[in-house]
Amino acid sequence: MAEGQEKKGIIDSMPLFTKELIAGGVTGGIAKTAVAPLERIKILFQTRRDEFKRIGLIGSINKIGRTEGLMGFYRGNGASVARIVPYAALHYMAYEEYRRWIIVGFPDTTRGPLLDLVAGSFAGGTAVLFTYPLDLVRTKLAYQVVGSSNAQAKAIIPLEQLVYRGIGDCFSRTYRESGFRGLYRGVAPSMYGIFPYAGLKFYFYEEMKRHVPAEHKKDISLKLVCGSVAGLLGQTLTYPLDVVRRQMQVERLSVAVKEETRRRGTMQTLFKIAREEGWKQLFSGLSINYLKVVPSVAIGFTVYDVMKLHLRVPSREETEAAEAVTTR
């Protein structure tokens, strides 16, 4: 009983933004780990088109399982979780903070989907800027394939040079080879993509929740459905920029691309992919991403709402009312 009261006291003493950071971080870690195998295959589809796309989803699963074992499906997931925990924590917390700041700063602002779109967009951009190097490392680790075929090996650097020994090794080698700018290679398409994606994700989720009858507001199954649809719609509209980002991130691992012909900017990369590999390559891995996004976004929004209840986070209406009183 005493321990329960002590725990309750600790939770109640936490600042609101701290509770939102914790809720967001836990949400990100759970959601990302749940779909890590599909994320690995999606990255390989995006960046190793000839080797993996031709054998399809089932063939890719068999290949990874045969050559790398069970843990092969989680290659790069350590970096992914290390990135997603602070990313999700910042994303959800920043969304709530931006939303409150807009309401307090512009009292006449309509409480509606446009507010969620703006707050979600800026929150996504903020989170990306702070955590992008970890996303770069995650992609490079996931790109590595043990036992690549000879045909593919001609297009990549030797295995002994390719395989990073871990997150720290990947960070240090990337910094030595390309400097600070190398750690942010591909950040432009990430920013272009995250602003509409993050905004649309919150927009669709909150808009659909508004149409849920009051007696079903706490129904977890409905939250899962709303989150799934929000993720699917947002991802479909911004997916080509995700492909561009991945290819820019792993470009330096390929010796087949000469320095003078390397893809540079976001739009140049996008048009070059469409011209040389076909516009369908801009949607490569999208079907797998649908399988990933449905549980990931659904789990994310649902866990976040549950964590807020567990951490005794006041409702938005209560928080906004308190903010309004303090600013008078």
Side-chain angles (χ1 to χ4, degrees):
M1 186 72 175
E3 289 183 4
Q5 289 296 326
E6 183 179 353
K7 181 180 178 181
K8 181 181 176 182
I10 293 174
I11 291 176
D12 289 340
S13 66
M14 289 181 182
L16 180 58
F17 77 90
T18 302
K19 295 180 181 181
E20 291 165 349
L21 280 171
I22 294 172
V26 172
T27 294
I30 292 175
K32 181 61 69 175
T33 301
V35 298
L38 287 170
E39 177 72 8
R40 173 85 198 283
I41 294 173
K42 186 200 77 171
I43 290 176
L44 292 174
F45 267 45
Q46 290 177 328
T47 57
R48 288 178 175 270
R49 183 169 63 96
D50 294 336
E51 186 176 359
F52 282 89
K53 193 174 180 182
R54 70 169 184 266
I55 61 177
L57 174 60
I58 302 302
S60 298
I61 292 174
N62 291 335
K63 179 180 177 65
I64 294 173
R66 185 175 64 254
T67 60
E68 303 180 47
L70 179 63
M71 294 309 296
F73 293 102
Y74 291 87
R75 184 179 298 279
N77 189 55
S80 183
V81 171
R83 178 195 75 93
I84 202 63
V85 168
Y87 172 83
L90 282 170
H91 193 179
Y92 283 102
M93 185 275 289
Y95 165 72
E96 302 285 3
E97 291 294 326
Y98 283 136
R99 196 176 186 280
R100 286 194 289 268
W101 291 345
I102 293 171
I103 290 172
V104 173
F106 304 92
D108 295 330
T109 300
T110 303
R111 307 319 194 253
L114 183 59
L115 173 63
D116 298 309
L117 179 68
V118 174
S121 296
F122 280 101
T126 300
V128 164
L129 283 177
F130 279 95
T131 62
Y132 184 80
L134 283 165
D135 183 58
L136 179 78
V137 168
R138 181 275 300 263
T139 300
K140 288 190 172 188
L141 292 173
Y143 177 80
Q144 299 176 145
V145 179
V146 176
S148 295
S149 63
N150 290 334
Q152 180 68 9
K154 293 178 182 178
I156 61 175
I157 59 178
L159 188 62
E160 62 272 12
Q161 297 178 30
L162 173 66
V163 177
Y164 296 107
R165 292 189 294 273
I167 298 173
D169 182 52
C170 188
F171 259 117
S172 61
R173 288 180 60 177
T174 300
Y175 183 78
R176 286 199 305 269
E177 293 169 4
S178 309
F180 184 77
R181 291 183 63 181
L183 293 173
Y184 278 85
R185 176 71 177 164
V187 72
S190 295
M191 295 299 290
Y192 298 154
I194 197 61
F195 268 91
Y197 173 65
L200 288 170
K201 186 174 67 173
F202 280 104
Y203 172 94
F204 288 128
Y205 181 68
E206 296 297 338
E207 179 62 14
M208 284 186 289
K209 279 174 57 179
R210 288 186 181 94
H211 296 285
V212 175
E215 62 270 20
H216 297 296
K217 289 288 186 183
K218 295 183 179 181
D219 192 327
I220 290 180
S221 62
L222 283 176
K223 291 179 184 291
L224 288 169
V225 171
C226 292
S228 299
V229 176
L232 286 170
L233 293 174
Q235 187 71 91
T236 302
L237 295 173
T238 60
Y239 190 77
L241 288 169
D242 189 50
V243 175
V244 171
R245 171 170 61 109
R246 298 300 184 195
Q247 293 212 9
M248 291 178 72
Q249 287 175 335
V250 303
E251 195 171 70
R252 289 187 175 274
L253 297 179
S254 174
V255 298
V257 181
K258 296 181 180 179
E259 184 63 32
E260 62 270 19
T261 60
R262 286 188 185 276
R263 297 161 178 156
R264 293 297 183 184
T266 302
M267 298 310 296
Q268 296 96 318
T269 302
L270 188 149
F271 286 126
K272 189 166 186 179
I273 293 173
R275 185 175 62 252
E276 297 181 357
E277 304 174 35
W279 66 269
K280 288 185 178 181
Q281 178 60 17
L282 292 172
F283 292 90
S284 179
L286 181 57
S287 58
I288 295 176
N289 212 48
Y290 282 150
L291 296 177
K292 184 199 78 164
V293 164
V294 170
S296 179
V297 178
I299 291 171
F301 277 124
T302 303
V303 172
Y304 181 63
D305 284 343
V306 171
M307 284 297 298
K308 286 201 299 182
L309 288 174
H310 182 70
L311 292 172
R312 302 166 64 84
V313 174
S315 68
R316 286 177 184 156
E317 291 75 14
E318 294 172 339
T319 304
E320 289 164 10
E323 289 281 356
V325 170
T326 58
T327 54
R328 286 176 183 174

